[in-house]
Each structure stands twice: as C-alpha cells, then as structure tokens.
Amino acid sequence: MEYDHLNPYPFYSYMRENKPVAKIDNIWQFFRYEDVRKILMDWSTFSSHFPMGIISGTVINEDPPKHDQLRALVADPFSAPNVELLRDRVRGIVHELLSKVGSEMDVINDLAVPLPVMVIADMLGLPKEDMWTFKEWSDDLVGVNDRNSLPELVQYLQRKVEERRASPRKDLISTLAGGRELTDRELISFLILLLVAGNETTTNLIGNAVLTLLERRELLEHLKGDLTLPVEEFLRYRSPVQGMFRIAKKNVQISNVEVKEGDMVFAWIGSANRDEAKFKDPDFFIPDRKPNPHLAFGAGVHTCLGAPLARLEGKIALEALLKLIPRMKLREEKLEPVGNWIFLGVRHLLVDLSTSA
Ligand code: HEM
C-alpha cells in the first residue's frame, strides 16, 4: 500500500486495520487515535526535546517546565480574546486580497498564502512590503525550496530587534525584545517559529477547505447563509499537519510494543482524525459533526498556540470565498502536493471564475 501525498487516507485505513504500530525507517509510527492522543498528551514519556535546527530551544522543542515559561511569554497576544480584536484587520486583508482577483484565481497564491503571512507580519510589526520575502524564507525553512536562506533571515530579524530596542512600538517584537527572559539567540529562534508555524499550516487549512467544497458542491447549499462555518470539520477531514515527532524519554510499553528510551516516535494526526474507532463515518464530511475531538492542533501542553488565530483567519477567508465558490471551476491540471510530507495541501488551486453562478 503506497502513501499518496494528496490522498493518504486509504494508506492510513490499511495501517490502522493491519499494522496500527509499525517501525518504519527506524521510527515507531502510530496510526490509531487513542495512541496518537496518548503520545501527544504524555510529554514526560514522549518528549519534544530533540534537535530541531534553528527552532531548537523554542517552545515547540522544550518540555515543561521550560516549555511553560516560554509559552507564557506569548500566551497573552495569542489568547482567544486578544485574537478576536484582530477580526477587522483580518477581514480588511481578505477583502484587499480578493479585490485584486479577476476572471481566474489561484486560491493558494492569491489568498491562502498571503493572508497568514500578512497577519503574522502585522502582529510582529514587520513591514508588509517584505511579505513575499518572508514567505520564501518560511518555505525554505520547511524544505519546500532547496535553498538555505537562514543567515539572511537571522540577520534581518536581528536588525529589527535592535531597531525595536532603540525605539519600541506596540508590536510583538518590541514586547519580546523588551523583556529579559530570552537570550538574543532564543529571541530570534522564537520569532522564526512564530513566522513559520502559522504560514504553511493556515494556507493548507484554507486550500484544503476550498478543495473539499469544490469536490462536494452540495455542501454549498447546506452552508448558504449559515455563518457557523464547519472549520473544525475541515480541520479534521483534511488536517493541514499530518503528524508530529517525539522522542521516548524512557522505556515504555504502548499498544503491545516496547518503545525504548531514545527511540523516535511519529504520531499520525491525519490518520487519528479518520479513525473509525473514534469518529462515526470518518470518511464523510459532516458539517455539524458533534462532538468533533480532532487532533489537528495537537493535544496536551503543545496544543497549537496559534489555534484561535488560525480559526479566525480560516473562518473569515472561507466566509468571503463562499460567495465565489459557486462561480469557481477547477482547471483540469493535475493537483500537486506541497513539498513537505508532514503537511497536507496543494501547491496551487487554479480556478476560473465565471461571471454567473
Ligand atoms: C490551521 C493552522 C494550524 C495548524 C493545523 C497547526 C497545527 C499545530 C500542531 C499540530 C501543533 C502541535 C505541535 C506538537 O505537538 O509538537 C502546533 C503547535 C504550535 N503552533 Fe500551530 N498550527 C496552525 C496555525 C498556527 C498559527 C497561525 C500559529 C501562530 C503564529 C501557530 C503557532 C504554533 C506554535 C508556536 C506551536 C507550538 C506550541 C507549543 O509547543 O506549546 N500555529 N500547531
């Protein structure tokens, strides 16, 4: 059974049924919901502390108590009530981007890519003109391009940190640079994490949702006039992040296998979210699925910091797109998956927009 990057679900289904835990490429891989959740929840056994390049030592790479200290530094600006204050700004960006669209559109490049980049750049206090450069840096870091632009990015951020220290503004760089909690190296890594963590992921949430609506047009009727968009079901159905690595901190018995201290573990979120043992009719898109305990944002201490922001951006973008989707016709070209196998998404979503619905 082959892993198909655009449709990994038959592979997951096969694995859950026949080999729910498999050691592949020397990594323990877990496919069932209960195991995936257990691994993500139990940081004292399944640690996030292993080399992660430039984002080593950031919140995503540390276990408690260090994790909790780092997370506390940014918890407030990313909290649901504070993110809610960004609503008009996000709406403004969506409308600005859509106002440039003519009779054809690449849903990815025209909206899904620039939206999260513009929002996070705004929060950090970085200029909009630099947006496409951030996007390239962000792609380079997650391995989409075969290019190492890290020194450029570090230098750029260092300059911004120095500028804000000299004259602080009301932005996240000023807040973080003004405190004494982080060394300069930690601060730059933190900024890089914030810059990249929300980009590819939110892009894929929007792209995957539009793809689902284009495939299942009958959903549009159902959603018409309904402002409670099924963002949670989009997150479950085609999860932007398909899995997460951990390292075992001790020997442990899980699902009848012996994982040894130091072994790498991969928890397949994308498979967990389609597990029939947890979700009724998992391969059906059910807009008002309740409950919907998907793991698209992870679980436990590392649950996505940006979840309220991603939900807000996804909801506003999709609300605006709902008016356009009935006019969209998918071009015949074959869809191409994004370059990094941990993410589920398409590189482009080219559509023609007819003048009438
Ligand atoms: C739909 C969009 C998104 C998805 C699917 C997503 C998914 C995830 C997942 C699965 C994790 C858990 C990582 C782990 O367990 O090791 C995570 C953590 C994280 N996410 Fe997101 N994310 C999204 C958007 C964002 C946004 C917009 C930001 C903000 C800039 C962000 C920032 C972070 C950070 C900083 C962490 C680490 C939190 C910690 O370790 O305590 N994410 N995300």
Side-chain angles (χ1 to χ4, degrees):
M1 173 70 58
E2 283 284 305
Y3 184 85
D4 175 344
H5 289 264
L6 285 176
N7 181 20
Y9 298 107
F11 169 74
Y12 294 154
S13 170
Y14 174 86
M15 293 307 280
R16 280 194 309 273
E17 173 101 28
N18 298 292
K19 242 180 166 321
V21 188
K23 202 167 188 185
I24 309 170
D25 297 337
N26 220 22
I27 299 164
W28 287 109
Q29 310 204 15
F30 291 83
F31 291 89
R32 285 190 177 153
Y33 184 96
E34 283 314 321
D35 291 335
V36 169
R37 187 163 190 283
K38 210 181 278 173
I39 290 163
L40 296 176
M41 293 297 291
D42 184 1
W43 57 265
S44 67
T45 308
F46 299 104
S47 163
S48 294
H49 196 60
F50 51 88
M52 285 191 191
I54 186 66
I55 54 166
S56 290
T58 62
V59 63
I60 205 162
N61 184 234
E62 295 289 349
D63 301 325
K66 181 86 194 284
H67 165 273
D68 302 1
Q69 289 154 12
L70 291 170
R71 183 141 174 159
L73 298 177
V74 284
D76 194 43
F78 285 96
S79 69
N82 280 332
V83 163
E84 186 51 39
L85 301 175
L86 301 173
R87 180 176 284 273
D88 286 346
R89 180 77 191 108
V90 174
R91 214 172 248 157
I93 295 175
V94 168
H95 288 134
E96 180 190 329
L97 291 167
L98 288 180
S99 71
K100 295 181 192 142
V101 167
S103 60
E104 53 181 45
M105 178 178 187
D106 179 355
V107 176
I108 305 298
N109 271 343
D110 295 342
L111 179 70
V113 164
L115 173 63
V117 185
M118 286 166 86
V119 172
I120 195 68
D122 220 46
M123 287 178 80
L124 290 169
L126 299 172
K128 227 166 52 175
E129 309 81 76
D130 296 345
M131 194 193 78
W132 286 106
T133 321
F134 299 145
K135 171 60 187 163
E136 272 180 27
W137 284 332
S138 164
D139 283 355
D140 291 348
L141 279 174
V142 298
V144 169
N145 307 321
D146 194 13
R147 215 168 71 101
N148 176 15
S149 52
L150 189 60
E152 270 170 66
L153 172 58
V154 169
Q155 225 175 37
Y156 172 89
L157 290 172
Q158 248 152 5
R159 241 186 357 256
K160 294 290 169 199
V161 166
E162 279 152 29
E163 279 171 29
R164 293 302 191 279
R165 283 201 176 123
S167 57
R169 294 190 201 165
K170 273 190 161 180
D171 60 37
L172 214 49
I173 296 195
S174 303
T175 311
L176 290 170
R180 286 163 188 274
E181 295 87 352
L182 301 173
T183 63
D184 276 13
R185 152 79 179 69
E186 285 173 334
L187 173 56
I188 298 295
S189 296
F190 210 147
L191 295 177
I192 292 177
L193 174 66
L194 293 177
L195 210 50
V196 298
N199 291 347
E200 184 88 23
T201 47
T202 310
T203 298
N204 292 336
L205 164 62
I206 298 168
N208 292 348
V210 173
L211 188 60
T212 303
L213 290 171
L214 290 174
E215 282 172 359
R216 305 257 332 259
R217 283 177 186 267
E218 72 278 8
L219 285 171
L220 288 170
E221 254 334 284
H222 181 95
L223 299 178
K224 228 178 223 171
D226 180 1
L227 290 180
T228 44
L229 268 159
V231 173
E232 300 311 307
E233 183 67 346
F234 286 124
L235 283 159
R236 183 195 71 84
Y237 189 73
R238 278 194 166 115
S239 305
V241 177
Q242 290 288 296
M244 277 292 151
F245 282 104
R246 294 291 189 262
I247 187 166
K249 271 217 302 216
K250 44 183 136 148
N251 295 344
V252 58
Q253 165 106 10
I254 171 171
S255 261
N256 296 328
V257 297
E258 284 283 343
V259 175
K260 294 263 184 299
E261 181 181 350
D263 283 354
M264 288 307 292
V265 166
F266 192 77
W268 282 100
I269 289 172
S271 173
N273 285 342
R274 294 282 191 112
D275 189 343
E276 38 290 282
K278 188 69 186 177
F279 299 96
K280 188 167 180 291
D281 298 328
D283 294 328
F284 281 88
F285 184 95
I286 301 176
D288 49 2
R289 184 182 284 280
K290 270 195 196 84
N292 192 347
H294 67 75
L295 300 174
F297 288 123
V301 295
H302 293 284
T303 298
C304 180
L305 171 79
L309 183 59
R311 286 183 166 119
L312 181 77
E313 289 177 27
K315 190 163 186 290
I316 292 175
L318 291 168
E319 262 165 28
L321 284 172
L322 270 190
K323 296 185 196 92
L324 289 179
I325 291 173
R327 291 170 41 205
M328 283 184 186
K329 193 164 173 285
L330 193 58
R331 293 257 180 98
E332 288 307 308
E333 278 121 293
K334 208 170 158 316
L335 294 173
E336 204 190 323
V338 288
N340 183 330
W341 62 271
I342 286 197
F343 298 124
L344 180 79
V346 289
R347 260 181 213 260
H348 301 283
L349 202 47
L350 291 163
V351 293
D352 288 318
L353 286 164
S354 65
T355 43
S356 58

